[in-house]
Amino acid sequence: MSSNAPGATNPMLYDPIPEGQGSTSKRNQFVAALGICMAAVSGGTALAWTSPVLAQLVPANQSDTSGLEHESFLLTTDEGSWVGAFLAVGAFLGALPAGYLAEKIGRKYTTMSLAVPYLISWALIIFANGAGMLYAGRIVIGIATGASCVVAPMFISEVAETSIRGALGAFFQLHLTVGILFVYAVGSYTHWVTLSILCAIFPVLLIVAMFIVPESPVYLVKKGRRIDAGVALKWFWGPNADTQSALQTIQSDLDAASGEAKVSDLFTNATNRAALFISLLLMFFQQFSGINAVIFYTAPIFQSAGSTMDPAVCSIVVGVVQVVMTLASSVLIDKAGRRILLLQSSFIMGACLIVLGVYFKMQNDKVDVSNIGWLPLASVVLFIVSFSLGFGPIPWMMMGELCAPDIKGLASALAVMFNWTLVFLVTKSFGTMQELLGSDWTFWFFGAWMMLCTVYVFIKVPETKGKTNAQIQAILGGKK
């Protein structure tokens, strides 16, 4: 089957398997998702690693290295920015091969194999003697992270029952935030080499977990291994599950989606074009929400609010908020719907960014802001809450819901690569924006995009909660 076929590159291609008539058990589905998401925790540690590490390796004043003499090497500001940005380069490169590999050797062994580049990258970083080895390690870990974004959510979606679609669907994003919190908590109080050694534990746990988890039933049916698929379903759903009807549903879905999409199909068909455009714009607005700018400024904002907390504690507070609110989103996505969560997310984030810009403008103009010190602190917490509830997890989920089965793989590949391209551009250019525009205009820049995003979501983004793919395609085609 072509790597562009359904399942090859989209993290949320298949609707979760509908429950049969028998009695099912959900325990092993959560166990499997937890094991698979060791790939997500590993990706989260990679994403957050630069936050505490660059503080140790990049002197605040390039001419003053006092306090950092114990380091075997130091980085310039430009080298530090490349250490951060190279992860996005690797993630861009890792998405398509991961989808192809998942079709060739299966979801189980592809997920297990992700531990290899994770471990190689941590070895390069742990034994690094200069910027070059850090660059190599960050590219390799980016490849593993990008691949994880494709394979792990795909695997989870193929083993989940309908009734826990929201909970397990948000597991990947949730465990990314767990990995981020781990780095914030441990990295703030340990040397960066020690932190890197501890981060390497999670890929090892991934290997151990994947020995226990069976192969995806969808993949097994696709390969003609129907008996093995039934055995796998019994493991995931419990011994009393009615697997025959589930297997028939899988077969029917695969038969219906057996077409091979071409790039031209994304643009010549109006419905496909609308689905792709919405998916790409949701990814664009996710990155231009300014999430990286706010995370970067967390410690200064806490300090300007008059907080006496250590900057490390501030980072941990942010990490805890992200984990808790992403967990909350896994419940709300299927109850409140996608549109309302996206609308609150973009509007509230835009308002918070404008407030932060005004605050920094007042500070720059030497205005006394001591009486409103609580305002930036409240803004950054509310911003992170809104992002975690909306534009954090939902663009990834809707990417799989909007597209027709025959173009999902190709459209999702483009959306994933587009997202990581934006991550690279925003991460690499943020420092330059800060120097050229100032803190106030940097926040206003992102705030303006969020206000535009609110209008776009209200007018153009359809609600997909509780709708079949056929209903969603009808809405996109203007046939409500």
Side-chain angles (χ1 to χ4, degrees), residues 80-259:
S81 71
W82 279 111
V83 168
F86 270 132
L87 179 137
V89 175
F92 179 91
L93 298 174
L96 275 177
Y100 178 79
L101 204 59
E103 291 299 306
K104 290 299 180 184
I105 68 172
R107 285 54 159 155
K108 173 186 171 80
Y109 292 110
T110 301
T111 305
M112 185 183 293
S113 70
L114 295 179
V116 176
Y118 275 125
L119 290 172
I120 290 173
S121 65
W122 287 125
L124 285 168
I125 289 169
I126 290 165
F127 296 105
N129 55 14
M133 286 183 71
L134 288 183
Y135 291 165
R138 293 293 286 172
I139 290 174
V140 173
I141 209 165
I143 290 171
T145 303
S148 297
C149 289
V150 172
V151 181
M154 179 199 299
F155 199 165
I156 293 171
S157 72
E158 291 179 353
V159 303
E161 293 177 77
T162 310
S163 60
I164 52 175
R165 173 183 176 181
L168 290 190
F171 244 49
F172 185 80
Q173 180 76 14
L174 173 62
H175 283 80
L176 273 176
T177 62
V178 169
I180 291 169
L181 176 58
F182 174 84
V183 169
Y184 284 170
V186 176
S188 301
Y189 302 103
T190 59
H191 189 265
W192 66 271
V193 174
T194 304
L195 171 65
S196 303
I197 293 170
L198 292 173
C199 288
I201 293 172
F202 296 109
V204 175
L205 292 177
L206 175 63
I207 296 174
V208 174
M210 294 315 298
F211 272 113
I212 302 169
V213 178
E215 179 57 89
S216 158
V218 173
Y219 173 79
L220 293 171
V221 171
K222 186 179 293 187
K223 294 300 181 181
R225 297 165 57 185
R226 196 179 177 95
I227 294 175
D228 291 338
V231 173
L233 274 173
K234 291 288 186 183
W235 189 91
F236 288 115
W237 288 16
N240 298 320
D242 175 12
T243 55
Q244 289 307 308
S245 59
L247 289 171
Q248 188 55 50
T249 301
I250 295 172
Q251 188 65 63
S252 298
D253 288 346
L254 291 173
D255 291 343
S258 59

Side-chain angles (χ1 to χ4, degrees), residues 127-391:
F127 296 105
N129 55 14
M133 286 183 71
L134 288 183
Y135 291 165
R138 293 293 286 172
I139 290 174
V140 173
I141 209 165
I143 290 171
T145 303
S148 297
C149 289
V150 172
V151 181
M154 179 199 299
F155 199 165
I156 293 171
S157 72
E158 291 179 353
V159 303
E161 293 177 77
T162 310
S163 60
I164 52 175
R165 173 183 176 181
L168 290 190
F171 244 49
F172 185 80
Q173 180 76 14
L174 173 62
H175 283 80
L176 273 176
T177 62
V178 169
I180 291 169
L181 176 58
F182 174 84
V183 169
Y184 284 170
V186 176
S188 301
Y189 302 103
T190 59
H191 189 265
W192 66 271
V193 174
T194 304
L195 171 65
S196 303
I197 293 170
L198 292 173
C199 288
I201 293 172
F202 296 109
V204 175
L205 292 177
L206 175 63
I207 296 174
V208 174
M210 294 315 298
F211 272 113
I212 302 169
V213 178
E215 179 57 89
S216 158
V218 173
Y219 173 79
L220 293 171
V221 171
K222 186 179 293 187
K223 294 300 181 181
R225 297 165 57 185
R226 196 179 177 95
I227 294 175
D228 291 338
V231 173
L233 274 173
K234 291 288 186 183
W235 189 91
F236 288 115
W237 288 16
N240 298 320
D242 175 12
T243 55
Q244 289 307 308
S245 59
L247 289 171
Q248 188 55 50
T249 301
I250 295 172
Q251 188 65 63
S252 298
D253 288 346
L254 291 173
D255 291 343
S258 59
E260 184 173 319
K262 302 186 294 293
V263 174
S264 60
D265 295 336
L266 294 172
F267 303 100
T268 55
N269 180 288
T271 303
N272 292 345
R273 200 162 55 237
L276 175 65
F277 194 61
I278 292 171
S279 296
L280 293 178
L281 272 178
L282 288 178
M283 292 300 186
F284 176 87
F285 287 127
Q286 181 193 64
Q287 293 307 317
F288 275 75
S289 67
I291 182 66
N292 290 323
V294 172
I295 294 295
F296 184 87
Y297 259 96
T298 297
I301 289 171
F302 272 58
Q303 290 166 351
S304 63
S307 171
T308 56
M309 280 196 295
D310 187 292
V313 176
C314 298
S315 297
I316 294 170
V317 169
V318 169
V320 170
V321 169
Q322 284 185 300
V323 170
V324 172
M325 298 317 299
T326 305
L327 182 61
S329 76
S330 69
V331 177
L332 289 174
I333 282 173
D334 277 334
K335 295 186 181 296
R338 283 65 159 151
R339 261 173 59 87
I340 189 67
L341 290 178
L342 287 174
L343 284 169
Q344 68 79 25
S345 187
S346 58
F347 181 79
I348 292 176
M349 286 192 297
C352 291
L353 288 164
I354 291 170
V355 168
L356 286 170
V358 170
Y359 184 85
F360 277 102
K361 172 67 172 172
M362 293 170 69
Q363 270 197 332
N364 292 339
D365 292 344
K366 309 300 181 184
V367 176
D368 181 13
V369 292
S370 57
N371 292 331
I372 55 170
W374 56 269
L375 192 60
L377 177 59
S379 296
V380 73
V381 172
L382 187 57
F383 178 95
I384 293 165
V385 166
S386 296
F387 179 83
S388 300
L389 283 173
F391 265 90

